[in-house]
Amino acid sequence: MARRSSKRPYSAAHRPLDLGRLSSVPRTQTGPGGADFTVRRLRGGAKTYTCPGCNRSIPPGTPHVVAWSNESLFGADRGLKDRRHWHTSCWERRLW
């Protein structure tokens, strides 16, 4: 059985550009201990996370920040595995 194409048909209108997605572009910031961290803003997730800054939960669907160290002893992949989800305000107030 043939699958339908997921491409936009030529006659259909373009979807408007979502500029809100640009806010999730990863950037480098100074984090705990003066180390460089890759930081990415998320609109919200499907899980509940615990913020390491205040030890409170981040409910599903809540916009927050994900940060991971660029200076991991075991390489960049290990830093990515050790990423943490922070309340945006906790990360910006540097509650580490």
Side-chain angles (χ1 to χ4, degrees):
M1 184 177 202
R3 291 184 2 186
R4 266 182 91 181
S5 174
S6 62
K7 293 183 180 180
R8 178 183 57 84
Y10 288 110
S11 61
H14 286 279
R15 285 186 289 170
L17 181 62
D18 183 7
L19 295 177
R21 293 187 69 177
L22 293 177
S23 66
S24 69
V25 174
R27 62 194 181 285
T28 301
Q29 292 182 341
T30 302
D36 286 338
F37 275 71
T38 299
V39 179
R40 186 170 185 179
R41 294 184 185 274
L42 298 179
R43 292 183 184 180
K47 292 174 40 178
T48 299
Y49 298 101
T50 301
C51 174
C54 65
N55 291 322
R56 294 185 180 169
S57 66
I58 303 171
T62 304
H64 61 280
V65 171
V66 177
W68 61 92
S69 176
N70 295 338
E71 301 174 9
S72 176
L73 292 174
F74 301 105
D77 291 337
R78 179 60 183 245
L80 184 58
K81 284 184 180 180
D82 292 338
R83 67 186 177 268
R84 296 289 174 255
H85 295 254
W86 296 70
H87 288 111
T88 304
S89 60
C90 292
W91 180 262
E92 290 173 353
R93 290 187 333 208
R94 301 177 180 263
L95 294 180
W96 50 72

